[in-house]
């Protein structure tokens, strides 16, 4: 790497820090991509001259708005809503909405920035965006969630459209919330514009496999990683952090592919079941009863619940962090490597800290970044948009086959790009460079806009 290129990269990063103070997650996401781009800039001087990276690091539009609503007791609450429309070079903005108390502008920008490259890797014509609110749906009644969603959409609708910006769900936003949001959008616009939101119910424009897509996709990506190494899920012990949508369906697909998931978690702690997680019981506890994960251990004699602690202390051969950002740190990575873990596959967005990635890489653990491994959700959202546009509906089998093809193609692109740039098996660099090049070419083709 030439000195001038490294200086350019460092200057770009310093400018991002200066222009976006205090947004640590966004800084982390940018740095992770920049770390991979020095070799690209050395080959493509035009990206430096046209300030292509700087343009991609600056969102096209950032919307922040007030969301007032009233709870069942008549108390008024004021939340804050966000939508960061980051990059539309490849298509309409596409990315989820997150409802969680931790949501702030920096979190939304980190997620939106990741989404640009994730969406590019799918090969589908979709740009990158993200949104959400600091509203917490936990413990709220359906009526309260409905009133919040209606207030949220009353402002957001003016920024959306099937050719402009197409949100989906994320943490705290499932089928219930998407239904309320879509109903309000339809009411305000007087249009049954199915393609404006994805993750809809199957009876009103939704797509088969959309619910399962992120978890299934991570498992398919892991399978492709293993096959390159002459390996498979057969007989593997697997841990999956989280117990939400991504985790549940990652567990389901891992079991179908021959692995055994022995542990999963929520914010209260984790459960270990040596016989393998009973998926139907897990769904009952988390999706129907919306209870703590300890409720699983209360009903299964082979399971034990550990309050707090780290799920990564559980010995495994494959780890799938699927809860939230920065959940797997350097100490946890060292524990995984020490137990003989051979694969870490990110099911969530940036769940592994930079220090943890270095530990895993030094220990020879194969690592799959989220922008590649968890792209199944947005890929299937794009398939939902495709079906909405053609007024069509595909079977579960056809949709799952398309998802597997997309995930295998993403792995192949990352793997081949890493080899082309002289770092075989570095899927982080492969994902960053492949995604960046596709977006950068489109940015240049559209002129200085």
């Amino acid at each position: 790497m030439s000195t001038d290129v490294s200086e350019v990269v460092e200057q770009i990063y310093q400018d991002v820090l200066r222009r976006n103070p205090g947004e640590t997650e966004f800084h982390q996401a940018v740095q992770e991509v920049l770390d991979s781009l020095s070799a690209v800039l050395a080959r493509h001087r035009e990206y430096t001259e046209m300030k292509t990276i700087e343009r991609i690091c600056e969102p096209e539009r950032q919307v922040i708005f007030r969301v007032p609503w009233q709870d069942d007791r008549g108390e008024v609450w004021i939340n804050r809503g966000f939508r960061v429309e980051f990059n539309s070079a490849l298509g309409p903005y596409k990315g989820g909405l997150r409802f969680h108390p931790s949501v702030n502008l920096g979190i939304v920008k980190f997620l939106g920035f990741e989404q640009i490259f994730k969406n590019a890797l799918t090969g589908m014509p979709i740009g990158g965006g993200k949104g959400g609110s600091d509203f917490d749906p936990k413990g709220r009644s359906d009526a309260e969630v409905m009133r919040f969603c209606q207030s949220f959409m009353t402002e957001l609708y003016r920024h959306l459209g099937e050719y402009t910006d197409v949100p989906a769900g994320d943490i705290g936003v499932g089928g219930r919330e998407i239904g309320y949001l879509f109903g309000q959008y339809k009411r305000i616009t007087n249009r049954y514009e199915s393609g404006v939101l994805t993750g809809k119910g199957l009876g009103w424009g939704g797509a088969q496999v959309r619910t399962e897509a992120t978890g299934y996709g991570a498992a398919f990506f892991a399978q492709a990683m293993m096959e390159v190494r002459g390996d498979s899920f057969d007989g593997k012990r697997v841990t999956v952090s989280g117990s939400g949508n991504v985790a549940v369906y990652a567990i389901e697909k891992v079991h179908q592919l021959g692995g055994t998931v022995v542990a999963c978690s929520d914010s209260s702690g984790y459960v270990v079941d040596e016989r393998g997680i009973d998926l139907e019981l897990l769904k009952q506890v988390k999706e129907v009863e919306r209870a703590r994960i300890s409720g699983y251990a209360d009903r299964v004699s082979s399971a034990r619940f550990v309050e707090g602690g780290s799920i990564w202390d559980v010995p495994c051969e494959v780890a799938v962090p699927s809860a939230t950002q920065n959940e797997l740190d350097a100490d946890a990575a060292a524990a995984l490597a020490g137990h003989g873990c051979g694969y870490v596959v990110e099911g969530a967005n940036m769940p592994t800290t930079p220090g943890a990635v270095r530990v895993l890489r030094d220990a020879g653990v194969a690592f799959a970044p989220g922008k590649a491994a968890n792209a199944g959700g947005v890929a299937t959202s794009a398939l939902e948009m495709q079906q909405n546009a053609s007024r069509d509906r595909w079977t579960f089998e056809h949709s799952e086959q398309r998802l597997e093809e997309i995930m295998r193609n993403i792995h192949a692109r990352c793997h081949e790009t890493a080899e082309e740039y002289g770092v075989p098996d570095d899927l982080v660099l492969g994902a960053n460079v492949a995604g960046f090049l596709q977006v950068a070419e489109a940015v240049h083709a559209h002129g200085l806009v």
Side-chain angles (χ1 to χ4, degrees):
M1 186 200 318
S2 64
T3 304
D4 60 331
V5 169
S6 75
E7 288 175 355
V8 167
V9 170
E10 179 60 24
Q11 185 58 56
I12 292 170
Y13 182 62
Q14 291 303 319
D15 286 346
V16 168
L17 295 182
R18 178 180 56 80
R19 293 166 66 87
N20 306 274
E23 297 173 358
T24 54
E25 293 85 2
F26 178 52
H27 301 161
Q28 181 182 335
V30 170
Q31 184 163 39
E32 193 255 1
V33 171
L34 289 179
D35 285 346
S36 302
L37 294 185
S38 293
V40 176
L41 293 182
R43 294 189 187 188
H44 298 275
R45 291 291 181 173
E46 68 272 19
Y47 294 154
T48 300
E49 294 164 6
M50 294 302 296
K51 299 197 172 178
T52 308
I53 298 175
E54 292 93 326
R55 289 156 65 188
I56 294 174
C57 287
E58 184 67 22
E60 293 173 9
R61 189 174 296 107
Q62 303 178 61
V63 182
I64 305 176
F65 53 95
R66 182 178 64 205
V67 188
W69 61 282
Q70 202 166 26
D71 68 18
D72 290 341
R73 298 174 300 165
E75 184 175 351
V76 172
W77 296 79
I78 310 296
N79 285 101
R80 184 172 287 176
F82 303 89
R83 188 68 179 172
V84 174
E85 296 175 331
F86 224 116
N87 190 286
S88 60
L90 300 180
Y93 309 106
K94 186 83 192 78
L97 298 170
R98 175 176 294 191
F99 292 171
H100 191 272
S102 67
V103 169
N104 57 42
L105 184 59
I107 294 274
V108 175
K109 282 166 71 173
F110 125 62
L111 293 167
F113 185 74
E114 287 275 293
Q115 201 79 45
I116 300 169
F117 308 105
K118 181 190 301 185
N119 294 0
L121 288 170
T122 68
M124 309 296 279
I126 45 178
K130 205 75 178 185
S133 174
D134 55 1
F135 169 73
D136 189 357
K138 280 186 180 175
R140 293 295 181 183
S141 69
D142 288 351
E144 289 173 325
V145 172
M146 180 183 73
R147 287 193 291 273
F148 173 82
C149 288
Q150 289 176 339
S151 181
F152 183 84
M153 184 54 80
T154 298
E155 171 58 33
L156 186 63
Y157 88 93
R158 68 190 79 242
H159 305 288
L160 306 184
E162 60 184 328
Y163 301 111
T164 305
D165 187 348
V166 182
D170 193 76
I171 294 171
V173 179
R176 173 183 62 172
E177 290 77 15
I178 292 292
Y180 295 148
L181 291 165
F182 182 74
Q184 186 72 350
Y185 181 86
K186 180 167 63 74
R187 179 187 190 186
I188 293 170
T189 62
N190 193 33
R191 293 196 303 269
Y192 203 108
E193 194 179 328
S194 296
V196 76
L197 284 169
T198 56
K200 299 182 295 296
L202 289 177
W204 44 279
Q208 299 274 11
V209 190
R210 177 61 190 90
T211 302
E212 299 86 352
T214 308
Y216 276 24
F220 285 139
F221 192 94
Q223 183 183 41
M225 283 177 74
M226 292 176 182
E227 287 175 359
V228 166
R229 294 162 175 78
D231 203 354
S232 74
F233 268 115
D234 285 346
K236 293 277 194 303
R237 280 174 61 92
V238 183
T239 55
V240 178
S241 67
S243 50
N245 179 266
V246 178
V248 164
Y249 292 103
I251 293 169
E252 183 168 277
K253 185 53 65 177
V254 166
H255 285 173
Q256 291 173 10
L257 294 174
T260 301
V261 177
V262 296
C264 61
S265 63
D266 66 12
S267 57
S268 67
Y270 62 91
V271 292
V272 181
D273 188 346
E274 294 294 344
R275 295 190 310 188
I277 295 294
D278 181 331
L279 192 64
E280 292 311 310
L281 176 57
L282 180 64
K283 288 180 180 180
Q284 174 66 29
V285 170
K286 299 303 295 186
E287 296 181 350
V288 178
E289 300 171 12
R290 298 180 184 269
R292 289 298 190 184
I293 197 78
S294 56
Y296 178 98
D298 292 340
R299 299 179 217 183
V300 179
S301 60
S302 60
R304 59 186 173 88
F305 170 67
V306 179
E307 186 173 358
S310 172
I311 190 174
W312 311 119
D313 292 335
V314 179
C316 65
E317 292 155 288
V318 183
V320 187
S322 303
T324 191
Q325 65 268 8
N326 291 327
E327 59 171 294
L328 200 168
D329 61 16
D331 290 340
L336 283 171
H339 289 310
C341 179
Y343 303 89
V344 173
V345 181
E346 292 192 321
N349 292 302
M350 204 172 73
T352 313
T353 68
V357 174
R358 285 192 292 272
V359 170
L360 295 170
R361 188 171 294 164
D362 291 345
V365 178
F367 178 75
K371 64 170 61 69
N374 77 14
V378 74
T380 308
S381 281
L383 298 180
E384 183 175 335
M385 293 166 66
Q386 193 176 121
Q387 292 167 77
N388 292 157
S390 61
R391 301 292 191 269
D392 199 1
R393 186 175 176 185
W394 303 342
T395 64
F396 189 97
E397 292 73 21
H398 178 69
S399 300
E400 184 177 8
Q401 181 183 355
R402 287 292 309 275
L403 171 63
E404 183 172 5
E405 288 171 358
I406 290 168
M407 296 311 298
R408 287 184 171 277
N409 287 339
I410 292 172
H411 176 267
R413 286 183 68 185
C414 297
H415 183 71
E416 290 164 8
T417 302
E419 287 197 333
E420 180 187 345
Y421 277 79
V423 281
D425 299 326
D426 187 344
L427 295 180
V428 174
L429 181 139
N432 288 335
V433 171
F436 171 80
L437 286 174
Q438 185 168 350
V439 176
E441 287 167 12
V443 165
H444 280 221
H446 297 165
L448 191 56
V449 296

